[in-house]
Amino acid sequence: MSNTATCTLNQYIQFVERSFRTSQGTILARLLSLRDDHVGNRNLRSSDIATLVNGNCVEPLDEIIIYHLLCAKALCMKEYEQAYERQSSCVASVVKLIQAQQGDNWNLPLLYTVSLDLRLVAQKAEATYPSNGKILEKAAESLLAGFRVCVGDNRSSEPYSKKIGMLTIVNQLLKVYFRINKIHLCKPLIRAIDSTNLKEPFPLAQRITYRYFVGRKAMFDSDYHAADEFLSFAFQNCHRHSFKNKRQILTYLVPVKMLLGFMPTKKVLYKYDLALFWDLACAVKDGNLRGIDKVMEEFESFFIQAGIYLIVEKLKISAYRNLFKKVYLAENSHQIDIASFQAALQIMGHDDVDAAETQCIVANLIYDGKIKGYISYQHQKVVVSKQNAFPPLTSLC
Amino acid sequence: MSYFDFFYNKNIAKNNDTIAGTCYSMCPQDEIDLRVRENSVHILEVIGPVKKLVKSYCRSAADSNMAVPRILRPYSTLKETLEYLLFEVLKRRDVPTVVLYDFINDRLRAIRQDMTIQRLLSKQCACLLEPMIRFYVYFAYRLYEQPINDFDPVLNKKYLLECMKWFLSCCDDMDQKGEDKLEELTAPFSNLNINKNEFDRTLVESLYILCNLYDIHPLLRYLSLPRDLKRDSMLNLSYNIAVANIKGDFINTCRLIDKLCPLTYCAIFLYLPEIQKHALQVLAYGYNSKQLTVPGEVLQTWLRFNNKDETLAVCRHYGLEIKNNAVRFARDSFKKEVPKHQLQQNSLKGKGLTVEDIFTYKRNIL
């Protein structure tokens, strides 16, 4: 195996054939991966791959090998659009092969590998020839074909069922959909996964990726409790050395937790190089609206790129609550003038706020259950409950 | 055939697969003959003794080939047709507005069909789509009170969204290809260049936000737009309205609405009952009391009702008690399940605006 980087084309074909005949899925996958040493092998980059392979190899494999090697060749020549076309054909051939092999699933690693490669090549092509996500969209269609084969495998008994491969392909699709901002397309995939009940659970790594994306989707749908649950699972189970992934999960988990009233510790934020959230958390805690605006301005592109800008905007509501609680504690009374709240808002950076808007903010907080009490328009006062006037945010659901 | 030839042919076919129409009148001769023979000339296509037919929309079916140059109109003719429909036909007063709407909507669909089949350039599509978007936004407002049998707001919204999404993807396309930049470079050399502001992109971007007020996607789109676009005063205003609304800040939402231009106002007007209903519900919690009340006039200005009677009627509609022209809010008496109220249409802001203005006004003039 070790000499695929230098072997001849014939030897390479023999390797592929042997691993196919002996049902060695992982080895076969490696031999047809674009991220393996053999991609750099000059012997495999002959000028006429198609005629050399044709007739030199068993039926379904020849097509796959041809497309794979043509794709590798295009990649070496930096012709990414062409590489994409070829990898897409390669995936189609693999899907056909896998569909034909009923009652067995040893070949799933091959499907995983070519699917992942397709996404990577598509991303590269998209970056080189921007098409508004059209290349990635087409890639998603190819991936869906693989997904359908996995879902549709109803006849094989469980340890040999291709259903176990669903989640890996779904994760690839989720990655594509999030990248091209077509989050609504995730819904049928999520439904398909949630309604599958296999005895053996999906691999943990795939479950983590899946929850990460489902959590992000819940966040977009403003379902913060669900988002918290999914993202927390992902964070807790993610391998401790996967620093980048953990940081990525935290980027979403932290603002969600903050919205639900749980403030992050300084230690964890600094550990994961997310200090900006510390400034944000402090500003929210203090009801410092100007501080929130400052963080938002400074890290605007980060928040926008991560898609959490609007969530951060919503944190201002928590900041209002914290600010008003401070006013309440300072006034030490159950009847507080609207004017006091208004003044506090103005001091904290809401310069042009007037009495009407202040009342609107208070009314919303009461409506959300964040303040217990009522407003009197006639007296321009807020009357708060004698007990637990500002229930902790974490106690609300 | 070797694989190389296979790929080569496939790629060639992909790029050259466009058809250019050769029909230089608003309606292909075949259709004129057919419709005159079958007696299916629309009343709006008859002007005194003259018949002026416009190609009607026809669903594509498996057995009919629509990609025939003879029956497709090129860009210049499409533009002419569009202008004829919006500036001439829309002036007709001899038929009910609903009939006028149905007729024009159908002919606009036919235009879009021709655009799709010919795969017009992004810029041309944008030029044709912008007035259509204005049309759908304006008529959603204008026909708001019509019974569902005469005017279906859901269908109208569907067409509107179709146009808007198409328009915006054309803009993205142009951004990516840098067509505008190229134009800027060549502009000094050709004084007779086509007017650069042939379509109002920020108007459509604003409408996209305001027509989908509770949808997060237009906001995410706004956030990722280039900085100079984001700074546009109306687009920024639209974003602020949507964000204020998401945060439930109805006072700010309503205040900002006052600053909108006529078409963007038309768009938000349809959401006003929803905004008001939610606001009243929040107020019912916030001002929950057995004795205290809030004066009707205050609510009227807060929530932009047309007059005091309307304010009180709407409050009553949701089960709130009225005492001496003031509303007593109580969280338990607010009826959430009641269908949302209808608003009386107030005359469009910027009075003196004719139908023609709706399709041509540029914001900086107003």
Side-chain angles (χ1 to χ4, degrees):
Chain A
M1 275 304 296
S2 56
N3 53 357
T4 49
T6 52
C7 67
T8 65
L9 182 58
N10 270 332
Q11 281 171 324
Y12 171 76
I13 295 171
Q14 274 169 18
F15 285 141
V16 177
E17 266 189 321
R18 193 185 310 142
S19 59
F20 179 69
R21 248 186 296 112
T22 53
S23 305
Q24 303 194 60
T26 16
I27 296 179
L28 182 64
R30 234 187 77 194
L31 284 168
L32 292 165
S33 163
L34 293 171
R35 290 158 289 136
D36 189 60
D37 290 342
H38 74 269
V39 175
N41 185 345
R42 281 169 180 278
N43 297 336
L44 304 182
R45 247 179 277 157
S46 147
S47 55
D48 201 359
I49 294 165
T51 34
L52 285 174
V53 178
N54 242 341
N56 207 352
C57 171
V58 288
E59 246 303 304
L61 275 184
D62 55 353
E63 233 179 56
I64 298 173
I65 296 178
I66 292 169
Y67 285 126
H68 170 66
L69 292 181
L70 283 174
C71 175
K73 195 172 147 190
L75 280 181
C76 289
M77 293 160 81
K78 300 209 174 357
E79 288 167 354
Y80 298 114
E81 222 171 2
Q82 212 168 42
Y84 165 74
E85 294 285 344
R86 275 140 199 211
Q87 186 63 18
S88 160
S89 309
C90 183
V91 169
S93 309
V94 169
V95 169
K96 238 191 294 167
L97 170 92
I98 290 196
Q99 192 165 28
Q101 289 191 315
Q102 288 195 351
D104 228 335
N105 67 0
W106 65 265
N107 44 28
L108 281 175
L110 176 62
L111 181 66
Y112 301 160
T113 302
V114 290
S115 301
L116 171 57
D117 283 344
L118 178 69
R119 180 173 65 83
L120 297 176
V121 173
Q123 271 168 221
K124 190 80 193 167
E126 179 72 48
T128 329
Y129 315 96
S131 72
N132 254 327
K134 283 192 189 94
I135 299 175
L136 280 163
E137 223 167 304
K138 270 199 285 173
E141 273 167 40
S142 309
L143 294 174
L144 268 176
F147 171 70
R148 278 189 214 106
V149 172
C150 294
V151 180
D153 189 15
N154 287 321
R155 268 180 279 170
S156 330
S157 52
E158 197 151 293
Y160 305 107
S161 172
K162 294 187 187 81
K163 282 203 169 183
I164 195 82
M166 278 165 69
L167 195 60
T168 312
I169 307 296
V170 164
N171 283 339
Q172 293 299 333
L173 280 163
L174 292 177
K175 278 179 199 178
V176 172
Y177 289 153
F178 268 82
R179 190 172 273 256
I180 57 176
N181 251 325
K182 291 257 154 75
I183 299 169
H184 59 282
L185 295 176
C186 301
K187 211 171 156 190
L189 300 176
I190 293 173
R191 205 180 301 141
I193 294 296
D194 288 349
S195 63
T196 320
N197 43 358
L198 296 170
K199 280 189 214 104
E200 184 192 354
F202 292 112
L204 180 63
Q206 299 300 334
R207 275 189 290 154
I208 292 169
T209 312
Y210 176 71
R211 302 265 172 118
Y212 163 72
F213 281 112
V214 176
R216 278 184 64 186
K217 184 174 180 297
M219 206 176 92
F220 280 114
D221 299 339
S222 306
D223 186 354
Y224 301 115
H225 285 278
D228 177 25
E229 189 189 320
F230 293 128
L231 291 168
S232 296
F233 175 91
F235 186 71
Q236 282 156 15
N237 289 282
C238 186
H239 196 279
R240 55 196 303 214
H241 293 308
S242 304
F243 181 83
K244 222 179 109 191
N245 285 348
K246 289 200 115 172
R247 181 175 188 268
Q248 188 83 358
I249 299 168
L250 274 187
T251 309
Y252 299 97
L253 185 56
V254 169
V256 166
K257 282 273 191 199
M258 269 160 71
L259 267 182
L260 297 176
F262 298 92
M263 290 298 159
T265 64
K266 192 172 182 178
K267 198 178 140 202
V268 76
L269 292 178
Y270 275 79
K271 179 177 169 193
Y272 288 102
D273 190 22
L274 289 166
L276 70 149
F277 280 121
W278 178 245
D279 297 340
L280 188 64
C282 292
V284 172
K285 261 189 265 183
D286 298 343
N288 181 358
L289 301 166
R290 202 176 282 119
I292 299 180
D293 279 333
K294 202 178 136 237
V295 177
M296 283 176 83
E297 211 176 294
E298 195 175 339
F299 298 100
E300 190 187 73
S301 49
F302 171 80
F303 288 135
I304 290 175
Q305 224 175 6
I308 51 175
Y309 192 84
L310 291 170
I311 306 282
V312 179
E313 183 76 49
K314 276 195 184 172
L315 280 173
K316 282 185 186 163
I317 296 172
S318 305
Y320 292 145
R321 179 251 178 211
N322 295 340
L323 178 64
F324 289 169
K325 187 176 177 189
K326 283 183 185 214
V327 174
Y328 157 73
L329 292 172
E331 298 253 319
N332 197 17
S333 157
H334 296 289
Q335 295 191 6
I336 306 139
D337 286 329
I338 288 290
S340 307
F341 284 147
Q342 188 184 338
L345 286 170
Q346 281 165 345
I347 292 166
M348 283 309 196
H350 228 320
D351 304 324
D352 49 358
V353 76
D354 64 1
E357 207 185 328
T358 310
Q359 290 178 61
C360 174
I361 292 171
V362 177
N364 268 298
L365 288 170
I366 295 174
Y367 176 70
D368 291 339
K370 288 170 183 157
I371 297 180
K372 284 187 181 173
Y374 63 91
I375 310 168
S376 158
Y377 183 81
Q378 275 85 356
H379 306 99
Q380 291 287 303
K381 273 183 197 298
V382 181
V383 183
V384 297
S385 158
K386 295 218 162 74
Q387 280 165 5
N388 204 13
F390 288 80
L393 290 178
T394 49
S395 68
L396 304 169
C397 13
Chain B
M1 186 169 65
S2 79
Y3 276 96
F4 181 75
D5 289 338
F6 175 70
F7 275 118
Y8 188 74
N9 289 339
K10 206 166 114 190
N11 284 337
I12 290 289
K14 196 173 72 189
N15 295 332
N16 280 6
D17 210 10
T18 50
I19 310 151
T22 56
C23 168
Y24 290 95
S25 66
M26 294 196 292
C27 187
Q29 194 58 45
D30 301 13
E31 190 180 321
I32 298 180
D33 297 344
L34 177 83
R35 297 226 329 255
V36 170
R37 197 172 59 231
E38 302 276 320
N39 263 341
S40 55
V41 178
H42 197 280
I43 182 170
L44 288 166
E45 291 172 318
V46 185
I47 308 153
V50 196
K51 288 198 177 83
K52 208 165 174 185
L53 272 65
V54 182
K55 186 176 174 182
S56 63
Y57 175 75
C58 172
R59 214 172 284 277
S60 62
D63 61 339
S64 68
N65 183 11
M66 310 187 85
V68 183
R70 192 159 41 89
I71 60 166
L72 292 171
R73 295 161 292 178
Y75 171 69
S76 57
T77 312
L78 288 175
K79 179 104 186 143
E80 208 178 285
T81 312
L82 182 74
E83 279 164 8
Y84 169 72
L85 288 170
L86 297 182
F87 298 141
E88 303 295 324
V89 181
L90 211 51
K91 277 194 200 134
R92 295 271 294 254
R93 286 288 165 270
D94 51 339
V95 294
T97 318
V98 187
V99 176
L100 208 56
Y101 168 83
D102 277 338
F103 173 75
I104 294 179
N105 174 36
D106 177 84
R107 301 315 190 247
L108 291 181
R109 285 182 81 187
I111 293 182
R112 291 203 293 277
Q113 201 173 32
D114 279 12
M115 289 159 66
T116 315
I117 298 174
Q118 296 177 84
R119 298 196 195 171
L120 294 187
L121 299 173
S122 294
K123 189 169 177 179
Q124 296 175 331
C125 289
C127 286
L128 293 171
L129 287 166
E130 191 240 40
M132 295 191 198
I133 292 164
R134 291 179 185 233
F135 171 82
Y136 288 118
V137 170
Y138 174 66
F139 274 91
Y141 170 82
R142 175 90 183 269
L143 300 175
Y144 158 76
E145 282 164 323
Q146 295 291 332
I148 186 98
N149 291 336
D150 291 339
F151 172 75
D152 184 345
V154 177
L155 268 181
N156 183 74
K157 180 83 181 270
K158 194 189 131 210
Y159 298 133
L160 171 63
L161 272 180
E162 176 191 314
C163 292
M164 280 202 288
K165 288 191 173 159
W166 188 355
F167 179 95
L168 296 175
S169 86
C170 287
C171 289
D172 293 343
D173 241 31
M174 286 185 281
D175 280 354
Q176 219 151 49
K177 291 186 189 128
E179 275 176 25
D180 271 357
K181 276 178 207 129
L182 204 79
E183 209 169 86
E184 268 165 39
L185 284 174
T186 54
F189 304 107
S190 56
N191 290 332
L192 286 171
N193 210 348
I194 334 155
N195 182 10
K196 199 164 172 280
N197 294 328
E198 232 175 330
F199 53 86
D200 191 341
R201 173 170 179 185
T202 45
L203 174 69
V204 180
E205 297 272 5
S206 308
L207 288 171
Y208 184 51
I209 293 176
L210 296 176
C211 290
N212 303 286
L213 196 62
Y214 289 88
D215 190 346
I216 193 167
H217 288 95
L219 298 178
L220 295 176
R221 176 183 167 83
Y222 167 84
L223 289 172
S224 60
L225 286 176
R227 216 166 268 265
D228 54 325
L229 269 178
K230 278 208 270 190
R231 262 194 233 120
D232 176 87
S233 61
M234 184 172 56
L235 186 51
N236 187 254
L237 175 66
S238 307
Y239 171 77
N240 286 334
I241 289 176
V243 169
N245 186 52
I246 281 182
K247 289 199 280 185
D249 187 349
F250 47 84
I251 295 281
N252 234 335
T253 310
C254 292
R255 259 183 212 156
L256 294 172
I257 286 176
D258 293 344
K259 296 186 191 160
L260 288 171
C261 74
L263 272 173
T264 41
Y265 180 77
C266 288
I268 200 86
F269 175 81
L270 300 177
Y271 282 106
L272 211 48
E274 210 165 331
I275 296 170
Q276 290 168 336
K277 180 181 176 183
H278 180 74
L280 287 174
Q281 196 183 349
V282 170
L283 292 172
Y285 277 71
Y287 293 80
N288 179 38
S289 162
K290 288 203 171 68
Q291 291 96 34
L292 299 167
T293 56
V294 179
E297 303 89 61
V298 173
L299 288 176
Q300 184 192 328
T301 39
W302 277 1
L303 302 178
R304 299 303 188 267
F305 285 108
N306 288 315
N307 50 53
K308 205 170 73 186
D309 291 342
E310 189 183 62
T311 316
L312 298 180
V314 170
C315 290
R316 217 173 279 126
H317 175 79
Y318 292 115
L320 298 170
E321 193 187 316
I322 314 293
K323 264 199 314 206
N324 307 327
N325 286 332
V327 182
R328 193 180 70 77
F329 283 107
R331 66 169 79 179
D332 297 326
S333 59
F334 187 87
K335 291 187 206 144
K336 222 172 26 183
E337 293 76 23
V338 172
K340 62 173 189 261
H341 60 281
Q342 289 245 324
L343 279 182
Q344 264 169 21
Q345 229 164 29
N346 43 1
S347 55
L348 199 54
K349 293 200 313 176
K351 278 174 194 147
L353 208 66
T354 63
V355 176
E356 198 166 16
D357 291 336
I358 288 290
F359 297 103
T360 50
Y361 81 80
K362 299 266 191 291
R363 282 165 298 130
N364 38 10
I365 300 166
L366 279 168

